[in-house]
Amino acid sequence: MAGVNVPPPVSPASPFDPALAAAGQTYTLATLCGLFVLTVLPFVAALVQGQASEVPRHLAYALGTALLLRSVWRGGVWSWRVTVGLSIVAGLLVFMGGMFAGQVSWQGWVVSAAGLAFIACGLLLVGHPAIRAFLDGRWAARGRA
């Protein structure tokens, strides 16, 4: 069409900010450690109560979680996607299970809070600007190597 001005395309990607990425290192580490603690906490609670029947299975879960989160820390895009997906889905399932258990016992509300914490950690990995700047820097460095 004649006489129609088309605006220039807008890039949704913001320029990389090293200061924001440096601050994101602490936030990313705290979020990943939080996910690990949330994953291992039921195993530790069972050990404290004297239930040591499924120790090898729980140790395998802890090792798998540690390897996945280490890969996220090192800049693995697929491991980041898997971590975010698992934390959101597991958080929803744990939250719903806690709500059902909360009808009978107060411990269900604690389980629901853990589900919300899983969801929060997953959302932080996706939406916190400092964490995303840090991970974007890791992804770019990994892509150059």
Side-chain angles (χ1 to χ4, degrees):
M1 296 176 75
V4 177
N5 291 332
V6 178
V10 178
S11 172
S14 61
F16 180 71
D17 184 8
L20 190 59
Q25 181 176 4
T26 305
Y27 294 132
T28 305
L29 184 61
T31 303
L32 294 176
C33 286
L35 278 171
F36 184 75
V37 167
L38 284 170
T39 303
V40 176
L41 193 61
F43 168 55
V44 173
L47 283 179
V48 167
Q49 293 175 355
Q51 302 169 1
S53 61
E54 298 182 1
V55 171
R57 181 175 63 100
H58 288 293
L59 287 176
Y61 287 160
L63 180 65
T65 301
L67 290 174
L68 181 67
L69 296 178
R70 180 177 178 262
S71 180
V72 172
W73 177 256
R74 294 182 66 206
V77 176
W78 281 102
S79 58
W80 172 78
R81 290 177 181 168
V82 168
T83 301
V84 169
L86 284 176
S87 65
I88 298 294
V89 170
L92 286 172
L93 292 174
V94 168
F95 177 75
M96 289 189 307
M99 294 306 291
F100 289 132
Q103 298 292 326
V104 178
S105 174
W106 65 271
Q107 287 96 348
W109 294 103
V110 175
V111 172
S112 291
L116 290 176
F118 269 114
I119 294 170
C121 287
L123 292 176
L124 281 172
L125 286 174
V126 171
H128 195 277
I131 292 174
R132 284 305 301 263
F134 175 73
L135 290 175
D136 286 343
R138 290 284 180 133
W139 295 336
R142 192 170 182 160
R144 286 190 302 262

